[in-house]
Amino acid sequence: GAGVSQSPRYKVAKRGQDVALRCDPISGHVSLFWYQQALGQGPEFLTYFQNEAQLDKSGLPSDRFFAERPEGSVSTLKIQRTQQEDSAVYLCASSLISGRSLSYEQYFGPGTRLTVT
Amino acid sequence: SQQGEEDPQALSIQEGENATMNCSYKTSINNLQWYRQNSGRGLVHLILIRSNEREKHSGRLRVTLDTSKKSSSLLITASRAADTASYFCATVHQAGTALIFGKGTTLSVSS
């Protein structure tokens, strides 16, 4: 079956531009996560949705970062006025089960590599 | 911030050898998971071990968890060239909603 898909796979933006990254989770998955992975590092949590509700956005690095999931399926991560330090791979993951214990695996998409020049 | 620390940062072995990676973490956890990331591909879940478990097996993978030492190890037996990847441990806090990843171990298996 189809896994988590993300688009675009690669994005080059000039500093100051706005970008929008899309995530299509596995159909029926309740939970959706965004992570940021810098080169040579592990992924770092950005934000979490349960259906359409954004329950945790504590990992968003600044108010230039905004995420939404209006219908509880597709999600968009928007970065306004991009800066060079925003260059990273942005990973989306979905999980079937909701809840705080996260006792189930997360399925990751291939990521969007953002380069800010 | 990243909670886990994998050790070693890099590991090079020959096909057929075993590979052992270690992970240490800082706070109480609900469970610990290991993921693999190949170059150009997304993260793939390998195995999950709950805080009340001490050892778990899946195929050629063996994971141990020592909550008193806040550490875990991943053993890959009879390694193959296809095992070449970065391996990350990830923890779930008892009160958390997200996975907290370490920096990873880069494994190279040569034939």
Side-chain angles (χ1 to χ4, degrees):
Chain A
V4 177
S5 61
Q6 293 185 246
S7 61
R9 291 292 309 277
Y10 303 91
K11 176 70 179 177
V12 179
K14 291 186 177 179
R15 189 172 56 182
Q17 281 186 331
D18 298 348
V19 298
L21 313 180
R22 177 188 170 105
C23 172
D24 286 82
I26 294 173
S27 178
H29 276 198
V30 171
S31 298
L32 186 145
F33 304 82
W34 283 99
Y35 295 85
Q36 180 189 59
Q37 186 174 22
L39 188 64
Q41 302 292 315
E44 293 204 12
F45 169 74
L46 294 177
T47 187
Y48 160 60
F49 290 86
Q50 182 176 315
N51 295 307
E52 69 278 4
Q54 189 175 21
L55 299 187
D56 188 347
K57 54 181 181 179
S58 62
L60 295 177
S62 77
D63 58 7
R64 296 185 295 103
F65 287 71
F66 172 77
E68 59 183 6
R69 194 187 185 196
E71 297 178 359
S73 56
V74 172
S75 177
T76 303
L77 176 67
K78 298 178 179 178
I79 309 173
Q80 297 176 325
R81 304 180 304 281
T82 52
Q83 304 294 315
Q84 282 192 316
E85 61 262 28
D86 300 334
S87 295
V89 175
Y90 290 85
L91 297 167
C92 175
S94 69
S95 177
L96 179 61
I97 302 296
S98 64
R100 299 180 69 83
S101 66
L102 273 189
S103 293
Y104 296 87
E105 66 182 279
Q106 295 185 22
Y107 295 83
F108 282 80
T112 294
R113 181 177 298 277
L114 173 65
T115 303
V116 181
T117 60
Chain B
S1 63
Q2 296 186 299
Q3 137 125 295
E5 290 287 337
E6 285 91 343
D7 169 55
Q9 288 188 326
L11 181 61
S12 293
I13 58 175
Q14 298 285 321
E15 265 192 327
E17 294 180 337
N18 296 341
T20 299
M21 289 160 263
N22 303 296
C23 167
S24 60
Y25 57 92
K26 298 175 184 174
T27 63
S28 295
I29 60 171
N30 179 286
N31 65 71
L32 185 144
Q33 303 178 31
W34 284 89
Y35 284 80
R36 181 184 68 211
Q37 186 174 41
N38 295 94
S39 176
R41 297 181 60 183
L43 283 153
V44 175
H45 180 268
L46 294 177
I47 195 166
L48 179 152
I49 186 165
R50 301 183 194 285
S51 58
N52 61 353
E53 298 176 308
R54 292 296 168 258
E55 187 171 314
K56 202 162 185 179
H57 296 255
S58 176
R60 294 184 295 112
L61 305 180
R62 172 177 169 255
V63 170
T64 62
L65 180 64
D66 187 335
T67 53
S68 67
K69 295 181 179 179
K70 292 186 169 59
S71 66
S72 173
S73 67
L74 171 68
L75 169 67
I76 304 174
T77 60
S79 62
R80 306 166 182 169
D83 294 329
T84 295
S86 292
Y87 292 81
F88 296 90
C89 70
T91 55
V92 180
H93 294 181
Q94 289 183 342
T97 57
L99 289 172
I100 310 297
F101 287 86
K103 293 184 179 180
T105 292
T106 300
L107 173 66
S108 297
V109 182
S110 54
S111 54

